[in-house]
Structure formats: structure tokens, C-alpha cells
């Protein structure tokens, strides 16, 4: 069964739940309603042969409404076919999506990562804990409104964080014929002026 | 019959006596038998392993006894990226090491956070531990680690072996 066949069958079966079907460079994407994710996912797995969940990721459309979106990458081992399901998640303050961890066990950790990094909760997940950061870390680092340098936090006896000195960006070079310290001002602290004058004076 | 000589002289013993200061003797012993605590956290650890293998052979400098127990080690070689999640574990292992102890920050990440200007990475292990030697490089070659080790040995030779310890003991009390 080709990807196009799968899309056609899904469109026949779930006409009301599929909002948009797109194809770009041989990759098929379906935009679906969040409440029918489990239904469609189960159909994809059992009827269409998508036995492998490649990845789960999430998007942050910061400033847009709805803000968050889930992306499921499905793959059929037998047919060698790839299909992408996308579903927007309602609610900015407490986004909740249904868990598919009982359909594909690999979704367990993928959903924990999405929860950890983006703060989307998964209804029906058996063990929704943070997976990369530690329990008690108060932020969701992959959200667009989280600064790259991080924010200070402290969980006593577990971990603390501080804002990193970015000096205007993670990799800053200044066009100058100065020495390395001047050219790549990495020793500066956040808030220092961007001008390299004081470094030039030292060199 | 000849009288026994009033001056005792034993050429065997005389040849084995040296005069020195206690500090110098102790420092000499310490600096030439540094047992490292290999705190390998990233790719620098691979270079640390290479340094202790046959080609670079860190045992030429008396630091080949990698101790995986902090209780038995003298120098912690922080080799790699220290994430905030790992930071307090590193600190805890450091606290478990008995005095006297030294710390080598191996590579850019351990020294300053390296290329990771990020919410997840501690910007240099010197935020938590007193670092004696920083080694530049990403990762540093084994020669650089050996050079750092020799710098540390030189530093130890210049310390007041007992005085400093007494002072820290008094301060602790």
C-alpha cells in the first residue's frame, strides 16, 4: 500500500476528523483533530500497517492560537511507507494531548520528552515524568519564550541553574585584528556592552 | 691491637642519607604519585583514556592509577561537559575525596562551559570546585593533559605541604 492509498483510505474513513491533506516532495502529511488522534493512530497501526512510530515532536507557534502542535511520524516496515500526522493542541496555559503510548510503546519516552521540553501533558500516559531535566525544574526549555541562556532556578540538593553569559549570541565574533580574546569575546558576562573597547584597551 | 674508632662511619648508611625539608620531601612524594579520579563526562574522557594508554602512558608521571573511588584519589580530572544535572554529583564526589586534593579542568567545557552557552550546562566547573589547572582544547590532546599534569606537579612542589593543611584544619574547626 502506498502512502497515497493510506491517505485516501483515511480520508474515506475519517472525513470529519481530517482537516487537511498535503503532499510535499513525496512526503504525506495529514492535519487531524486532536480528539481523534488515538482513533486515527489505532486505525493506521491496525489497518494500514504503520507498525513503527518513528518520532513524536511538538511545535510552539508562539504568539499564534492555538499555540502548540503535535507531530507524529509513522512508518510501515512492510510497505516502506512514511506518513506524518499533525494535530494542534488547544490551550496555552495547560495544553493536553492524548497519549498513544499504549499503541506504540516507544511513544512513552517520546511523550516524556515533549512533556519535559515543551510542557504538553499527555492524558493516559503511564509514567509522565521529566526525562532530561530533573523533577522540580520549573521551566520548559524548548518553548519560544524561554531564553537560550536559561533562567536561574534551584532545587536544593538536586540541581541549580544560572543564566549563561551569551554576550549577544551563542557564538560571537567581532571583526577586529585583535587577539583571540578580543575577536571571540566569550569571557564577557551577560549585560556587558557589545563594544570590544575595554578588551582592546587590555590587549 | 688497634682501638675501635670513636667516630662511627658506615659507608652503606652514609650513602643512603639525604638532607631536605619535610615540605619538599612530602611534596615530592605527593606530586609523583597523583592518583586521578577520572570524572569523564564527554569526549574529553576519550583523550583521558588515550593519555593513560600505552602510546602516551601517563604512568611516566606517576598518575596512572585511575581510582573510581573518590576515597582513594588525589586529583579529580573533570573531563567533559558538566551539565547542571551532573554538577552537584561532581561536587559530591569532590567532597568525598580526602585532603590533600587537586582539580584539573580538562578542556573547554569543564573550564568555561565551552561551546555550550546553554540553559543546561554549568559555565565552568570552577563555579563549584577550586580548579588548580585549566587545560585548553576541544578536546585537548593527551600531550596537553600531560602538560597540565606537569604544571600541577610543579604547583604542588611549591606548596607548604603541612602548613596549608593545618591552616585548613584550623579553619574548619
Amino acid at each position: 500500500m502506498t502512502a497515497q492509498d493510506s491517505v485516501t483510505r483515511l480520508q474515506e474513513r475519517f472525513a470529519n476528523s481530517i482537516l487537511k491533506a498535503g503532499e510535499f516532495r513525496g512526503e504525506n502529511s495529514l492535519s487531524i483533530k486532536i480528539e481523534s488522534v488515538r482513533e486515527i493512530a489505532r486505525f493506521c497501526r491496525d489497518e494500514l500497517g504503520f507498525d513503527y512510530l518513528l518520532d513524536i515532536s511538538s511545535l510552539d507557534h508562539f504568539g499564534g492560537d492555538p499555540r502548540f502542535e503535535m507531530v507524529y511520524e509513522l512508518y510501515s516496515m512492510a510497505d516502506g511507507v512514511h506518513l506524518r500526522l499533525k494535530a494542534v493542541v488547544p490551550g496555552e496555559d495547560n495544553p493536553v494531548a492524548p497519549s498513544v503510548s499504549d499503541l506504540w510503546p516507544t511513544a512513552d519516552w517520546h511523550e516524556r520528552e515533549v512533556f519535559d521540553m515543551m510542557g504538553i501533558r499527555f492524558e493516559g500516559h503511564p509514567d509522565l515524568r521529566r526525562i532530561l531535566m530533573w523533577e522540580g525544574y520549573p521551566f520548559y526549555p524548548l518553548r519560544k519564550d524561554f531564553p537560550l541562556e536559561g533562567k536561574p532556578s534551584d532545587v536544593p540538593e538536586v540541581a541549580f541553574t544560572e543564566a549563561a553569559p551569551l554576550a549577544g549570541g551563542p557564538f560571537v565574533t567581532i571583526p577586529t585584528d585583535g587577539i583571540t580574546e578580543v575577536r571571540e569575546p566569550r569571557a564577557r558576562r551577560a549585560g556587558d556592552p557589545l563594544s570590544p573597547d575595554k578588551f582592546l584597551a587590555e590587549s | 691491637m688497634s682501638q675501635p674508632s670513636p667516630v662511627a662511619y658506615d659507608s652503606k648508611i652514609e650513602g643512603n642519607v639525604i638532607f631536605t625539608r619535610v615540605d619538599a620531601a612530602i611534596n615530592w612524594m605527593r606530586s609523583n604519585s597523583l592518583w586521578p579520579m577520572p570524572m569523564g563526562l564527554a569526549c574529553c574522557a576519550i583523550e583521558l583514556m588515550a593519555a593513560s594508554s600505552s602510546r602516551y602512558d601517563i604512568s611516566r608521571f606517576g598518575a596512572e592509577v585511575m581510582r573510581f573511588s573518590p576515597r582513594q584519589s588525589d586529583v579529580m580530572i573533570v573531563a567533559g561537559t558538566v551539565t547542571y544535572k551532573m554538577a552537584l554529583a561532581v561536587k559530591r564526589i569532590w567532597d568525598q575525596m580526602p585532603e590533600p586534593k587537586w582539580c584539573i579542568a580538562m578542556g573547554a567545557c569543564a573550564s568555561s562551559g565551552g561551546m555550550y552557552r546553554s540553559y543546561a550546562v554549568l559555565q565552568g566547573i570552577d563555579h563549584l570546585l577550586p580548579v588548580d589547572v585549566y587545560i585548553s582544547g576541544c578536546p585537548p590532546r593527551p600531550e596537553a593533559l600531560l602538560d597540565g599534569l606537569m604544571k600541577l606537579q610543579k604547583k604542588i612542589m611549591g606548596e607548604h605541604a603541612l602548613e596549608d593543611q593545618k591552616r585548613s584544619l584550623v579553619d574548619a574547626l
Side-chain angles (χ1 to χ4, degrees):
Chain A
M1 189 183 292
T2 65
Q4 196 52 53
D5 295 341
S6 303
V7 170
T8 314
R9 279 195 62 185
L10 279 166
Q11 277 173 323
E12 285 167 6
R13 174 81 190 264
F14 300 99
N16 295 327
S17 304
I18 293 174
L19 305 171
K20 209 177 85 186
E23 198 257 333
F24 181 70
R25 289 190 178 167
E27 291 187 359
N28 287 275
S29 301
L30 288 180
S31 291
I32 61 177
K33 288 182 180 167
I34 189 77
E35 52 272 19
S36 45
V37 160
R38 285 185 51 81
E39 208 184 343
I40 291 178
R42 186 182 291 280
F43 184 78
C44 286
R45 188 193 67 167
D46 295 341
E47 307 292 329
L48 304 179
F50 288 101
D51 48 356
Y52 181 29
L53 179 68
L54 283 172
D55 196 10
I56 295 179
S57 51
S58 57
L59 307 175
D60 180 5
H61 303 291
F62 183 58
D65 187 37
R67 179 172 168 182
F68 297 104
E69 187 169 8
M70 295 297 306
V71 183
Y72 301 86
E73 312 276 351
L74 308 183
Y75 192 77
S76 165
M77 287 287 194
D79 302 326
V81 165
H82 170 256
L83 179 69
R84 182 180 297 114
L85 302 177
K86 298 171 105 176
V88 294
V89 183
E92 179 162 347
D93 296 330
N94 186 25
V96 179
S99 170
V100 293
S101 55
D102 55 331
L103 301 175
W104 295 281
T106 187
D108 187 328
W109 281 19
H110 283 312
E111 287 175 350
R112 278 178 66 188
E113 189 186 356
V114 170
F115 166 66
D116 189 359
M117 293 285 120
M118 202 65 100
I120 298 173
R121 302 194 66 83
F122 289 90
E123 222 158 32
H125 191 285
D127 182 29
L128 196 62
R129 289 176 294 132
R130 283 187 177 269
I131 192 169
L132 297 171
M133 308 303 275
W134 47 94
E135 289 300 321
Y137 184 70
F139 309 113
Y140 300 111
L142 284 194
R143 287 188 174 183
K144 295 280 188 204
D145 52 354
F146 184 85
L148 182 62
E149 69 263 31
K151 292 178 180 177
S153 72
D154 192 13
V155 182
E157 303 295 311
V158 179
F160 68 97
T161 57
E162 288 162 5
L166 280 191
F171 299 99
V172 184
T173 55
I174 288 176
T176 167
D177 54 358
I179 57 173
T180 313
E181 275 173 76
V182 180
R183 207 164 55 237
E184 298 170 15
R186 316 197 69 186
R188 295 188 304 177
R189 297 281 143 178
D192 279 2
L194 274 174
S195 151
D197 290 350
K198 73 169 190 175
F199 295 94
L200 285 169
E202 286 170 11
S203 61
Chain B
M1 269 192 67
S2 60
Q3 294 288 314
S5 166
V7 180
Y9 178 77
D10 184 335
S11 62
K12 284 179 185 156
I13 292 176
E14 186 77 352
N16 292 337
V17 170
I18 52 167
F19 290 95
T20 181
R21 290 177 296 117
V22 176
D23 266 1
I26 289 175
N27 283 338
W28 178 74
M29 290 181 246
R30 281 178 179 169
S31 66
N32 288 292
S33 173
L34 283 167
W35 291 16
M37 167 81 227
M39 185 52 66
L41 301 171
C43 39
C44 281
I46 302 295
E47 300 297 309
L48 176 60
M49 291 172 219
S52 58
S53 303
S54 55
R55 186 178 173 96
Y56 295 98
D57 193 11
I58 204 170
S59 68
R60 292 176 293 157
F61 306 93
E64 79 277 22
V65 193
M66 298 283 171
R67 287 287 117 169
F68 294 90
S69 162
R71 306 284 184 204
Q72 301 171 350
S73 38
D74 301 310
V75 54
M76 177 184 267
I77 302 179
V78 184
T81 317
V82 188
T83 58
Y84 284 116
K85 199 171 181 177
M86 191 67 192
L88 292 192
V90 176
K91 173 90 165 101
R92 189 168 180 181
I93 292 169
W94 170 259
D95 289 342
Q96 289 171 346
M97 285 167 59
E99 293 278 357
K101 57 192 173 185
W102 297 273
C103 178
I104 295 178
M106 179 180 179
C109 294
S111 302
S112 70
M115 65 176 189
Y116 299 105
R117 290 285 180 269
S118 152
Y119 63 90
V121 175
L122 181 69
Q123 301 297 305
I125 191 63
D126 51 4
H127 283 79
L128 284 181
L129 317 180
V131 175
D132 294 284
V133 175
Y134 298 87
I135 302 173
S136 64
C138 185
R141 287 188 57 86
E143 294 96 317
L145 177 62
L146 297 180
D147 185 50
L149 185 69
M150 288 158 74
K151 288 251 174 8
L152 180 62
Q153 289 178 334
K154 219 171 270 176
K155 180 178 177 177
I156 293 171
M157 286 306 289
E159 284 176 353
H160 298 286
L162 297 173
E163 201 182 297
D164 286 349
Q165 266 182 295
K166 271 190 206 145
R167 192 181 301 131
S168 65
L169 184 68
V170 169
D171 288 347
L173 294 173

